Amino acid sequence: MSIIVNLDVMLAKRKMSLTELSERVGITMSNLSILKKGKAKAIRFSTLELICEVLECQPGDILAYKE
Amino acid sequence: MNQQDQDHGVQSIDILIFIFQAMKILIWISLVMSSVLIIVTLIPNEGALKNIVPPPNFVVYFSLPEELGIVQWGDGNTTPFSIVSALGVIKTSFAPKGLVLFYSFMTILTTLLILFSIIFTIRILKSVKKKAFLLVENAVRLRWIALLGIGIYFTDRITSTVTSSQLSKYLQFPEVDFTGINFFAFLNFESIFGSMFLLVIAEVFRMGAQLKEENDLTI
C-alpha cells in the first residue's frame, strides 16, 4: 500500500504513548495498533479528526503518499 | 438466535464433519484399492494375486432397438416400446491390460478430485464451527470445490465413454446394441450445472468476504 501512516513519528514528537492516545481518543489499542502498523484498509474522517485534535497536527502529518 | 438454536447448529456441523471424515476414509480405501489394481495389472506373469484381484466392473452404454415390450396406459391404450439408451455395468473375469490400466488410472484421478473436494468441504465446515466463515480463503475453497466438480463430471464421462466404446467392439448379447458414445448420458448437465452455480456463489462470497475484511480493517 502506498499510503504510509506516520502515527509513531507523531507520537514520538508529542512524547505520547499509544495507550495514552487510545484513552484520549477513545479507540481500542488493537485498532490503533492496526493503524500504526499500516494494516488498516481505511480510516474514518471522525477518527482522523480525533487523532489530529489530540496530537495537535494536520492529517498530512499522520498520512503520507509514497510511490 | 437463542442458545438452543446455536447448540443445534453446532451439533449439525459436528455431524456433517463426521460424515465427511467418514467419506474421506472410504475414498482413501478406494484409492488404495485402485492403486493395488494398477500394480497387479502391471505384474507381467499370471500369479495367484491376479485371481484374488479381478478386473473392475466396466460401465457400458447399450440399446434394445427391437420393440420388446408393451406399455399399458391407464386409459386402456397399449403401445410397443424399445429401449433407445441405457447404462449398465458389466462384470468379467478377464479384460485387456490396457483397458484395465486406463480405467484404474481414470478411477484414481476421479477419486483424487473427489478427495480434494471433501478435504475443502471439511475445512469450510471447521471454519464454520470456529465462527469464522466469511473469509476469502473459504471463497477460494468454494471455487475449488466447483472446479473439482466440473473436473469430476468430465473425467467420469470420458472414462465411461472410452471404456464403453472400446468394449462395444467385443461385447455380444442377443438383441442388444452396445454403443460407444451416448449423448443422453454425456449431455446430462445436472451435476455440471450445480458446479457452475457454485462457481457463481463462490465469486459472490469472495466479494462479500473482501467487503467484510475491508469493513473490519476500517478504523
Side-chain angles (χ1 to χ4, degrees), chain B residues 1-16 128-129 131:
Chain B
M1 194 188 281
N2 61 35
Q3 190 62 39
Q4 203 179 6
D5 288 341
Q6 276 186 2
D7 290 345
H8 284 307
V10 171
Q11 274 175 2
S12 55
I13 287 163
D14 281 337
I15 291 165
L16 279 171
V128 174
K129 201 180 167 186
K131 291 175 182 172

Side-chain angles (χ1 to χ4, degrees), chain B:
Chain B
M1 194 188 281
N2 61 35
Q3 190 62 39
Q4 203 179 6
D5 288 341
Q6 276 186 2
D7 290 345
H8 284 307
V10 171
Q11 274 175 2
S12 55
I13 287 163
D14 281 337
I15 291 165
L16 279 171
I17 290 173
F18 175 77
I19 290 167
F20 277 100
Q21 294 279 20
M23 279 165 74
K24 197 170 99 176
I25 292 164
L26 287 172
I27 296 286
W28 270 115
I29 293 166
S30 158
L31 211 57
V32 170
M33 282 169 75
S34 298
S35 305
V36 167
L37 189 67
I38 282 191
I39 293 162
V40 170
T41 312
L42 286 171
I43 293 170
N45 297 322
E46 294 267 331
L49 205 58
K50 288 208 169 184
N51 297 327
I52 299 165
V53 185
N57 297 338
F58 296 105
V59 172
V60 288
Y61 296 123
F62 62 94
S63 63
L64 291 157
E66 298 291 322
E67 291 175 343
L68 298 167
I70 287 170
V71 189
Q72 285 191 317
W73 301 108
D75 57 4
N77 284 327
T78 57
T79 177
F81 75 90
S82 61
I83 296 171
V84 289
S85 176
L87 185 144
V89 177
I90 63 154
K91 188 179 170 71
T92 170
S93 55
F94 172 79
K97 189 186 263 189
L99 193 65
V100 175
L101 277 176
F102 170 79
Y103 193 85
S104 304
F105 175 76
M106 291 304 277
T107 306
I108 286 177
L109 187 65
T110 313
T111 313
L112 276 174
L113 296 179
I114 295 168
L115 182 69
F116 280 118
S117 60
I118 287 173
I119 289 169
F120 285 134
T121 311
I122 291 170
R123 284 184 187 169
I124 289 174
L125 285 168
K126 282 183 176 170
S127 72
V128 174
K129 201 180 167 186
K130 284 181 194 165
K131 291 175 182 172
F133 179 61
L134 202 58
L135 301 171
V136 178
E137 286 95 327
N138 278 346
V140 174
R141 281 168 191 155
L142 272 178
R143 189 195 295 158
W144 272 110
I145 292 168
L147 291 172
L148 288 167
I150 293 169
I152 291 162
Y153 171 85
F154 280 109
T155 51
D156 182 54
R157 293 300 188 278
I158 288 166
T159 310
S160 52
T161 303
V162 169
T163 54
S164 185
S165 60
Q166 284 295 310
L167 287 167
S168 65
K169 299 172 197 166
Y170 308 108
L171 294 174
Q172 287 181 351
F173 202 85
E175 293 171 354
V176 175
D177 273 354
F178 290 95
T179 53
I181 296 165
N182 187 311
F183 288 105
F184 287 102
F186 212 91
L187 298 175
N188 180 9
F189 283 120
E190 282 157 13
S191 58
I192 205 165
F193 182 78
S195 295
M196 302 279 264
F197 187 69
L198 191 61
L199 213 54
V200 176
I201 298 283
E203 201 52 36
V204 173
F205 191 90
R206 188 185 61 80
M207 288 167 81
Q210 273 181 342
L211 277 173
K212 188 188 175 288
E213 192 182 278
E214 219 167 86
N215 191 46
D216 287 349
L217 291 171
T218 297
I219 312 299

Side-chain angles (χ1 to χ4, degrees), chain A:
Chain A
M1 203 173 176
S2 45
I3 298 289
I4 311 291
V5 182
N6 294 318
L7 191 63
D8 45 355
V9 177
M10 279 314 292
L11 283 169
K13 276 183 186 172
R14 299 288 181 260
K15 290 173 184 162
M16 195 185 283
S17 69
L18 201 67
T19 319
E20 192 187 340
L21 181 70
S22 162
E23 281 166 5
R24 289 180 65 181
V25 173
I27 299 169
T28 59
M29 276 290 287
S30 61
N31 274 346
L32 271 183
S33 182
I34 288 169
L35 187 64
K36 200 180 124 189
K37 285 176 188 167
K39 285 184 179 175
K41 295 263 181 189
I43 181 164
R44 289 188 191 90
F45 279 154
S46 55
T47 311
L48 195 60
E49 194 183 324
L50 282 167
I51 293 170
C52 287
E53 197 181 309
V54 171
L55 293 175
E56 292 172 352
C57 65
Q58 293 296 312
D61 296 329
I62 298 165
L63 303 173
Y65 173 73
K66 195 178 177 183
E67 276 188 53

